[in-house]
Amino acid sequence: MKDQTASAQKECPSCAMKISSGTKTCPICQYEFPEGHSFIIIITVILLLLVFLYSLTF
Ligand SMILES: [Zn+2]
């Protein structure tokens, strides 16, 4: 028998604990999952590039 709840869980890479997939921070070791953070980094890089290009044009 397969546990249906297993699909809704993910393993923490820091402490190897099985935690809820919706959780962004591990409740055991406070490890922060990179989901969402990468998106903010991409936006920041694009904005910095735009400011850099803008300063070059003038
Ligand atoms: Zn953890």
Side-chain angles (χ1 to χ4, degrees):
M1 277 195 286
K2 288 234 171 179
D3 190 3
Q4 290 293 311
T5 53
S7 57
Q9 287 187 317
K10 60 184 174 186
E11 193 178 289
C12 174
S14 184
C15 65
M17 274 294 295
K18 290 276 194 294
I19 57 162
S20 174
S21 59
T23 315
K24 285 186 176 121
T25 312
C26 177
I28 313 298
C29 67
Q30 306 303 309
Y31 172 86
E32 278 186 56
F33 288 89
E35 297 166 51
H37 286 280
S38 54
F39 178 73
I40 293 162
I41 289 164
I42 287 162
I43 295 290
T44 311
V45 167
I46 288 166
L47 279 170
L48 281 168
L49 271 169
L50 281 171
V51 169
F52 181 70
L53 285 169
Y54 191 81
S55 62
L56 278 178
T57 342
F58 294 100

Short mmCIF file of all heavy atoms in Angstrom, two decimals:
data_model
loop_
_atom_site.label_atom_id
_atom_site.label_comp_id
_atom_site.label_asym_id
_atom_site.label_seq_id
_atom_site.Cartn_x
_atom_site.Cartn_y
_atom_site.Cartn_z
N MET A 1 0.84 -1.21 0.00
CA MET A 1 0.00 0.00 0.00
C MET A 1 0.87 1.26 0.00
O MET A 1 1.83 1.35 0.75
CB MET A 1 -0.92 0.00 1.22
CG MET A 1 -2.18 -0.83 1.01
SD MET A 1 -3.41 -0.44 2.24
CE MET A 1 -2.69 -1.25 3.67
N LYS A 2 0.50 2.17 -0.87
CA LYS A 2 1.26 3.43 -0.93
C LYS A 2 0.54 4.50 -0.09
O LYS A 2 -0.67 4.63 -0.15
CB LYS A 2 1.36 3.89 -2.39
CG LYS A 2 2.33 3.03 -3.19
CD LYS A 2 3.37 3.91 -3.86
CE LYS A 2 4.46 3.06 -4.47
NZ LYS A 2 5.47 3.88 -5.14
N ASP A 3 1.36 5.25 0.61
CA ASP A 3 0.81 6.32 1.44
C ASP A 3 0.50 7.53 0.56
O ASP A 3 1.39 8.10 -0.06
CB ASP A 3 1.83 6.69 2.53
CG ASP A 3 1.21 7.61 3.58
OD1 ASP A 3 0.00 7.90 3.48
OD2 ASP A 3 1.94 8.03 4.49
N GLN A 4 -0.75 7.89 0.49
CA GLN A 4 -1.17 9.00 -0.37
C GLN A 4 -0.64 10.34 0.13
O GLN A 4 -0.45 11.26 -0.65
CB GLN A 4 -2.70 9.04 -0.46
CG GLN A 4 -3.30 7.89 -1.24
CD GLN A 4 -2.95 7.92 -2.73
OE1 GLN A 4 -3.09 8.94 -3.39
NE2 GLN A 4 -2.46 6.81 -3.26
N THR A 5 -0.43 10.47 1.42
CA THR A 5 0.02 11.74 1.99
C THR A 5 1.50 12.02 1.68
O THR A 5 1.96 13.14 1.81
CB THR A 5 -0.18 11.77 3.52
OG1 THR A 5 0.43 10.63 4.08
CG2 THR A 5 -1.65 11.79 3.90
N ALA A 6 2.22 10.97 1.21
CA ALA A 6 3.65 11.13 0.94
C ALA A 6 3.89 12.14 -0.18
O ALA A 6 4.89 12.85 -0.18
CB ALA A 6 4.25 9.80 0.59
N SER A 7 2.96 12.21 -1.16
CA SER A 7 3.14 13.11 -2.29
C SER A 7 3.02 14.57 -1.85
O SER A 7 3.53 15.46 -2.50
CB SER A 7 2.11 12.79 -3.37
OG SER A 7 0.80 12.88 -2.82
N ALA A 8 2.33 14.82 -0.75
CA ALA A 8 2.13 16.18 -0.27
C ALA A 8 3.25 16.60 0.68
O ALA A 8 3.14 17.62 1.34
CB ALA A 8 0.78 16.30 0.41
N GLN A 9 4.31 15.80 0.73
CA GLN A 9 5.41 16.12 1.63
C GLN A 9 6.72 16.24 0.85
O GLN A 9 6.89 15.66 -0.20
CB GLN A 9 5.56 15.04 2.70
CG GLN A 9 4.45 15.10 3.74
CD GLN A 9 4.70 14.14 4.88
OE1 GLN A 9 5.09 13.00 4.67
NE2 GLN A 9 4.47 14.59 6.09
N LYS A 10 7.63 17.01 1.39
CA LYS A 10 8.96 17.11 0.80
C LYS A 10 10.00 16.94 1.89
O LYS A 10 9.72 17.19 3.08
CB LYS A 10 9.15 18.44 0.09
CG LYS A 10 8.99 19.65 1.00
CD LYS A 10 9.09 20.94 0.20
CE LYS A 10 8.78 22.16 1.07
NZ LYS A 10 8.73 23.40 0.29
N GLU A 11 11.19 16.52 1.46
CA GLU A 11 12.24 16.28 2.44
C GLU A 11 13.14 17.50 2.56
O GLU A 11 13.57 18.08 1.57
CB GLU A 11 13.07 15.06 2.00
CG GLU A 11 13.97 14.54 3.11
CD GLU A 11 14.75 13.30 2.66
OE1 GLU A 11 14.14 12.23 2.51
OE2 GLU A 11 15.95 13.42 2.44
N CYS A 12 13.41 17.87 3.79
CA CYS A 12 14.30 19.00 4.05
C CYS A 12 15.74 18.59 3.73
O CYS A 12 16.22 17.59 4.25
CB CYS A 12 14.17 19.43 5.51
SG CYS A 12 15.35 20.71 5.97
N PRO A 13 16.43 19.32 2.86
CA PRO A 13 17.81 18.97 2.50
C PRO A 13 18.80 19.19 3.64
O PRO A 13 19.92 18.72 3.60
CB PRO A 13 18.12 19.87 1.31
CG PRO A 13 17.20 21.02 1.44
CD PRO A 13 15.97 20.53 2.16
N SER A 14 18.37 19.92 4.63
CA SER A 14 19.26 20.25 5.75
C SER A 14 19.21 19.21 6.86
O SER A 14 20.24 18.75 7.33
CB SER A 14 18.91 21.63 6.29
OG SER A 14 19.81 22.02 7.29
N CYS A 15 17.97 18.82 7.26
CA CYS A 15 17.84 17.89 8.38
C CYS A 15 17.13 16.60 7.98
O CYS A 15 16.91 15.75 8.82
CB CYS A 15 17.11 18.56 9.54
SG CYS A 15 15.38 18.97 9.18
N ALA A 16 16.79 16.45 6.67
CA ALA A 16 16.17 15.24 6.12
C ALA A 16 14.82 14.91 6.76
O ALA A 16 14.39 13.77 6.72
CB ALA A 16 17.11 14.05 6.23
N MET A 17 14.15 15.90 7.31
CA MET A 17 12.82 15.69 7.89
C MET A 17 11.76 15.81 6.80
O MET A 17 11.88 16.64 5.91
CB MET A 17 12.54 16.72 8.99
CG MET A 17 13.06 16.30 10.35
SD MET A 17 12.24 14.84 11.03
CE MET A 17 10.57 15.43 11.25
N LYS A 18 10.72 14.95 6.90
CA LYS A 18 9.60 15.02 5.95
C LYS A 18 8.63 16.10 6.46
O LYS A 18 8.04 15.97 7.53
CB LYS A 18 8.88 13.68 5.88
CG LYS A 18 9.70 12.59 5.21
CD LYS A 18 9.57 12.62 3.69
CE LYS A 18 10.09 11.35 3.03
NZ LYS A 18 11.55 11.20 3.21
N ILE A 19 8.51 17.17 5.67
CA ILE A 19 7.61 18.25 6.07
C ILE A 19 6.61 18.54 4.95
O ILE A 19 6.79 18.10 3.82
CB ILE A 19 8.39 19.54 6.43
CG1 ILE A 19 9.27 19.99 5.26
CG2 ILE A 19 9.23 19.33 7.69
CD1 ILE A 19 9.71 21.41 5.38
N SER A 20 5.57 19.27 5.26
CA SER A 20 4.52 19.60 4.30
C SER A 20 5.09 20.38 3.12
O SER A 20 5.92 21.28 3.29
CB SER A 20 3.44 20.42 5.01
OG SER A 20 2.49 20.88 4.07
N SER A 21 4.63 20.02 1.90
CA SER A 21 5.18 20.63 0.69
C SER A 21 4.86 22.12 0.59
O SER A 21 5.53 22.86 -0.09
CB SER A 21 4.64 19.91 -0.54
OG SER A 21 3.23 19.97 -0.56
N GLY A 22 3.80 22.55 1.29
CA GLY A 22 3.42 23.96 1.25
C GLY A 22 4.27 24.84 2.15
O GLY A 22 4.23 26.05 2.05
N THR A 23 5.06 24.20 3.02
CA THR A 23 5.88 24.95 3.98
C THR A 23 7.12 25.51 3.31
O THR A 23 7.82 24.80 2.61
CB THR A 23 6.28 24.05 5.16
OG1 THR A 23 5.14 23.32 5.58
CG2 THR A 23 6.83 24.85 6.32
N LYS A 24 7.37 26.79 3.50
CA LYS A 24 8.53 27.42 2.86
C LYS A 24 9.75 27.38 3.77
O LYS A 24 10.88 27.46 3.30
CB LYS A 24 8.20 28.87 2.48
CG LYS A 24 7.32 28.93 1.25
CD LYS A 24 7.11 30.37 0.79
CE LYS A 24 6.30 30.41 -0.50
NZ LYS A 24 5.08 31.16 -0.38
N THR A 25 9.54 27.28 5.07
CA THR A 25 10.65 27.21 6.02
C THR A 25 10.50 25.94 6.84
O THR A 25 9.42 25.64 7.34
CB THR A 25 10.65 28.44 6.93
OG1 THR A 25 10.52 29.61 6.13
CG2 THR A 25 11.95 28.53 7.73
N CYS A 26 11.59 25.20 7.01
CA CYS A 26 11.56 23.96 7.78
C CYS A 26 11.30 24.29 9.26
O CYS A 26 12.00 25.11 9.85
CB CYS A 26 12.89 23.23 7.64
SG CYS A 26 12.99 21.74 8.64
N PRO A 27 10.26 23.65 9.86
CA PRO A 27 9.95 23.93 11.27
C PRO A 27 10.97 23.33 12.24
O PRO A 27 11.00 23.69 13.41
CB PRO A 27 8.57 23.29 11.47
CG PRO A 27 8.48 22.24 10.42
CD PRO A 27 9.33 22.68 9.26
N ILE A 28 11.80 22.42 11.74
CA ILE A 28 12.78 21.77 12.61
C ILE A 28 14.08 22.58 12.69
O ILE A 28 14.56 22.91 13.77
CB ILE A 28 13.08 20.33 12.11
CG1 ILE A 28 11.79 19.55 11.79
CG2 ILE A 28 13.96 19.57 13.12
CD1 ILE A 28 10.84 19.32 12.94
N CYS A 29 14.65 22.91 11.51
CA CYS A 29 15.97 23.57 11.49
C CYS A 29 15.92 24.96 10.89
O CYS A 29 16.95 25.60 10.71
CB CYS A 29 16.96 22.69 10.72
SG CYS A 29 16.58 22.56 8.97
N GLN A 30 14.71 25.45 10.57
CA GLN A 30 14.51 26.79 9.99
C GLN A 30 15.16 26.96 8.63
O GLN A 30 15.42 28.08 8.18
CB GLN A 30 15.03 27.89 10.95
CG GLN A 30 14.45 27.80 12.35
CD GLN A 30 12.92 27.86 12.36
OE1 GLN A 30 12.32 28.74 11.77
NE2 GLN A 30 12.28 26.90 13.02
N TYR A 31 15.40 25.81 7.92
CA TYR A 31 15.95 25.89 6.57
C TYR A 31 14.94 26.55 5.64
O TYR A 31 13.78 26.18 5.63
CB TYR A 31 16.32 24.49 6.06
CG TYR A 31 16.73 24.46 4.60
CD1 TYR A 31 18.06 24.72 4.25
CD2 TYR A 31 15.82 24.20 3.59
CE1 TYR A 31 18.45 24.69 2.92
CE2 TYR A 31 16.19 24.18 2.25
CZ TYR A 31 17.51 24.42 1.93
OH TYR A 31 17.89 24.41 0.61
N GLU A 32 15.37 27.52 4.86
CA GLU A 32 14.48 28.22 3.94
C GLU A 32 14.57 27.59 2.56
O GLU A 32 15.64 27.54 1.97
CB GLU A 32 14.85 29.70 3.87
CG GLU A 32 14.25 30.49 5.02
CD GLU A 32 14.50 31.98 4.85
OE1 GLU A 32 14.12 32.55 3.82
OE2 GLU A 32 15.09 32.57 5.76
N PHE A 33 13.44 27.11 2.03
CA PHE A 33 13.42 26.52 0.70
C PHE A 33 13.52 27.62 -0.35
O PHE A 33 12.90 28.67 -0.22
CB PHE A 33 12.14 25.69 0.53
CG PHE A 33 12.18 24.41 1.33
CD1 PHE A 33 11.71 24.39 2.63
CD2 PHE A 33 12.70 23.25 0.78
CE1 PHE A 33 11.76 23.23 3.39
CE2 PHE A 33 12.76 22.09 1.54
CZ PHE A 33 12.29 22.06 2.84
N PRO A 34 14.32 27.39 -1.40
CA PRO A 34 14.62 28.45 -2.37
C PRO A 34 13.44 28.84 -3.24
O PRO A 34 13.54 29.80 -3.98
CB PRO A 34 15.74 27.85 -3.22
CG PRO A 34 15.60 26.37 -3.06
CD PRO A 34 15.03 26.14 -1.68
N GLU A 35 12.32 28.11 -3.20
CA GLU A 35 11.15 28.45 -4.02
C GLU A 35 10.69 29.87 -3.72
O GLU A 35 10.50 30.24 -2.58
CB GLU A 35 10.00 27.49 -3.72
CG GLU A 35 10.32 26.05 -4.06
CD GLU A 35 9.30 25.11 -3.43
OE1 GLU A 35 8.10 25.35 -3.61
OE2 GLU A 35 9.72 24.18 -2.74
N GLY A 36 10.49 30.66 -4.78
CA GLY A 36 10.03 32.03 -4.60
C GLY A 36 11.19 33.00 -4.49
O GLY A 36 11.14 34.08 -5.04
N HIS A 37 12.25 32.60 -3.80
CA HIS A 37 13.40 33.48 -3.64
C HIS A 37 14.08 33.74 -4.98
O HIS A 37 14.48 34.85 -5.27
CB HIS A 37 14.41 32.86 -2.67
CG HIS A 37 13.96 32.94 -1.24
ND1 HIS A 37 14.09 34.08 -0.49
CD2 HIS A 37 13.36 32.04 -0.44
CE1 HIS A 37 13.59 33.85 0.71
NE2 HIS A 37 13.13 32.63 0.78
N SER A 38 14.19 32.70 -5.82
CA SER A 38 14.85 32.83 -7.11
C SER A 38 14.11 33.84 -7.99
O SER A 38 14.74 34.58 -8.74
CB SER A 38 14.92 31.48 -7.81
OG SER A 38 13.63 30.90 -7.89
N PHE A 39 12.79 33.87 -7.87
CA PHE A 39 11.98 34.80 -8.65
C PHE A 39 12.31 36.24 -8.26
O PHE A 39 12.50 37.10 -9.12
CB PHE A 39 10.49 34.51 -8.41
CG PHE A 39 9.56 35.44 -9.14
CD1 PHE A 39 9.40 35.33 -10.52
CD2 PHE A 39 8.84 36.41 -8.46
CE1 PHE A 39 8.54 36.18 -11.20
CE2 PHE A 39 7.98 37.27 -9.12
CZ PHE A 39 7.84 37.15 -10.50
N ILE A 40 12.44 36.51 -6.98
CA ILE A 40 12.77 37.84 -6.48
C ILE A 40 14.18 38.23 -6.95
O ILE A 40 14.42 39.37 -7.36
CB ILE A 40 12.66 37.88 -4.94
CG1 ILE A 40 11.19 37.72 -4.52
CG2 ILE A 40 13.24 39.19 -4.36
CD1 ILE A 40 10.97 37.32 -3.07
N ILE A 41 15.11 37.28 -6.94
CA ILE A 41 16.49 37.54 -7.38
C ILE A 41 16.50 37.91 -8.86
O ILE A 41 17.17 38.87 -9.28
CB ILE A 41 17.39 36.31 -7.09
CG1 ILE A 41 17.60 36.18 -5.57
CG2 ILE A 41 18.73 36.40 -7.82
CD1 ILE A 41 18.13 34.83 -5.12
N ILE A 42 15.71 37.18 -9.69
CA ILE A 42 15.64 37.46 -11.13
C ILE A 42 15.09 38.87 -11.37
O ILE A 42 15.63 39.63 -12.17
CB ILE A 42 14.79 36.37 -11.85
CG1 ILE A 42 15.57 35.06 -11.92
CG2 ILE A 42 14.39 36.82 -13.26
CD1 ILE A 42 14.70 33.83 -12.20
N ILE A 43 14.04 39.24 -10.66
CA ILE A 43 13.44 40.58 -10.78
C ILE A 43 14.48 41.65 -10.40
O ILE A 43 14.63 42.67 -11.09
CB ILE A 43 12.18 40.69 -9.88
CG1 ILE A 43 11.08 39.73 -10.38
CG2 ILE A 43 11.67 42.13 -9.80
CD1 ILE A 43 10.41 40.09 -11.69
N THR A 44 15.20 41.43 -9.32
CA THR A 44 16.22 42.37 -8.85
C THR A 44 17.33 42.54 -9.89
O THR A 44 17.76 43.66 -10.18
CB THR A 44 16.81 41.89 -7.50
OG1 THR A 44 15.74 41.56 -6.62
CG2 THR A 44 17.67 42.97 -6.86
N VAL A 45 17.77 41.42 -10.48
CA VAL A 45 18.84 41.46 -11.49
C VAL A 45 18.37 42.24 -12.72
O VAL A 45 19.10 43.07 -13.26
CB VAL A 45 19.28 40.02 -11.85
CG1 VAL A 45 20.15 40.00 -13.11
CG2 VAL A 45 20.03 39.39 -10.69
N ILE A 46 17.12 41.99 -13.17
CA ILE A 46 16.56 42.69 -14.33
C ILE A 46 16.47 44.19 -14.05
O ILE A 46 16.86 45.02 -14.88
CB ILE A 46 15.19 42.08 -14.72
CG1 ILE A 46 15.38 40.69 -15.34
CG2 ILE A 46 14.44 42.99 -15.69
CD1 ILE A 46 14.10 39.86 -15.44
N LEU A 47 16.01 44.56 -12.86
CA LEU A 47 15.90 45.97 -12.48
C LEU A 47 17.27 46.65 -12.44
O LEU A 47 17.44 47.76 -12.93
CB LEU A 47 15.21 46.10 -11.12
CG LEU A 47 13.67 45.99 -11.16
CD1 LEU A 47 13.11 45.89 -9.75
CD2 LEU A 47 13.06 47.22 -11.85
N LEU A 48 18.26 45.94 -11.89
CA LEU A 48 19.62 46.49 -11.83
C LEU A 48 20.19 46.67 -13.23
O LEU A 48 20.86 47.67 -13.52
CB LEU A 48 20.52 45.56 -11.00
CG LEU A 48 20.37 45.68 -9.48
CD1 LEU A 48 21.08 44.53 -8.78
CD2 LEU A 48 20.93 47.02 -8.97
N LEU A 49 19.92 45.70 -14.13
CA LEU A 49 20.38 45.80 -15.51
C LEU A 49 19.73 46.98 -16.22
O LEU A 49 20.39 47.70 -16.97
CB LEU A 49 20.05 44.50 -16.26
CG LEU A 49 21.12 43.40 -16.19
CD1 LEU A 49 20.57 42.08 -16.74
CD2 LEU A 49 22.36 43.79 -16.99
N LEU A 50 18.43 47.20 -15.98
CA LEU A 50 17.71 48.32 -16.58
C LEU A 50 18.30 49.64 -16.10
O LEU A 50 18.51 50.56 -16.90
CB LEU A 50 16.21 48.24 -16.23
CG LEU A 50 15.39 47.23 -17.06
CD1 LEU A 50 13.99 47.06 -16.49
CD2 LEU A 50 15.30 47.67 -18.52
N VAL A 51 18.58 49.74 -14.80
CA VAL A 51 19.17 50.96 -14.24
C VAL A 51 20.56 51.19 -14.83
O VAL A 51 20.93 52.30 -15.19
CB VAL A 51 19.22 50.87 -12.69
CG1 VAL A 51 20.06 51.98 -12.09
CG2 VAL A 51 17.80 50.89 -12.11
N PHE A 52 21.32 50.09 -14.99
CA PHE A 52 22.66 50.17 -15.55
C PHE A 52 22.62 50.64 -17.01
O PHE A 52 23.37 51.54 -17.41
CB PHE A 52 23.32 48.79 -15.44
CG PHE A 52 24.73 48.75 -15.98
CD1 PHE A 52 25.77 49.41 -15.31
CD2 PHE A 52 25.02 48.04 -17.14
CE1 PHE A 52 27.05 49.37 -15.81
CE2 PHE A 52 26.32 48.00 -17.63
CZ PHE A 52 27.34 48.66 -16.97
N LEU A 53 21.70 50.06 -17.80
CA LEU A 53 21.56 50.44 -19.21
C LEU A 53 21.07 51.88 -19.32
O LEU A 53 21.50 52.63 -20.19
CB LEU A 53 20.58 49.49 -19.91
CG LEU A 53 21.16 48.10 -20.21
CD1 LEU A 53 20.04 47.14 -20.66
CD2 LEU A 53 22.23 48.14 -21.29
N TYR A 54 20.16 52.28 -18.41
CA TYR A 54 19.61 53.62 -18.40
C TYR A 54 20.71 54.65 -18.15
O TYR A 54 20.77 55.70 -18.78
CB TYR A 54 18.51 53.71 -17.35
CG TYR A 54 17.69 54.97 -17.41
CD1 TYR A 54 16.64 55.07 -18.33
CD2 TYR A 54 17.95 56.04 -16.55
CE1 TYR A 54 15.87 56.22 -18.39
CE2 TYR A 54 17.18 57.20 -16.61
CZ TYR A 54 16.15 57.28 -17.52
OH TYR A 54 15.40 58.42 -17.57
N SER A 55 21.60 54.31 -17.22
CA SER A 55 22.70 55.23 -16.88
C SER A 55 23.72 55.30 -18.01
O SER A 55 24.41 56.31 -18.18
CB SER A 55 23.38 54.76 -15.58
OG SER A 55 23.93 53.49 -15.76
N LEU A 56 23.82 54.26 -18.83
CA LEU A 56 24.75 54.26 -19.95
C LEU A 56 24.22 55.11 -21.10
O LEU A 56 25.00 55.74 -21.81
CB LEU A 56 24.97 52.82 -20.44
CG LEU A 56 25.99 51.95 -19.69
CD1 LEU A 56 26.03 50.56 -20.29
CD2 LEU A 56 27.38 52.57 -19.73
N THR A 57 22.92 55.12 -21.28
CA THR A 57 22.30 55.85 -22.39
C THR A 57 22.42 57.36 -22.21
O THR A 57 22.50 58.10 -23.17
CB THR A 57 20.81 55.46 -22.54
OG1 THR A 57 20.57 54.25 -21.86
CG2 THR A 57 20.44 55.28 -23.98
N PHE A 58 22.46 57.82 -20.95
CA PHE A 58 22.51 59.27 -20.71
C PHE A 58 23.82 59.72 -20.07
O PHE A 58 24.48 59.00 -19.40
CB PHE A 58 21.33 59.68 -19.82
CG PHE A 58 20.00 59.49 -20.52
CD1 PHE A 58 19.23 58.38 -20.24
CD2 PHE A 58 19.54 60.38 -21.50
CE1 PHE A 58 18.01 58.17 -20.88
CE2 PHE A 58 18.32 60.18 -22.14
CZ PHE A 58 17.57 59.08 -21.85
ZN ZN B 1 15.11 21.01 8.25
#
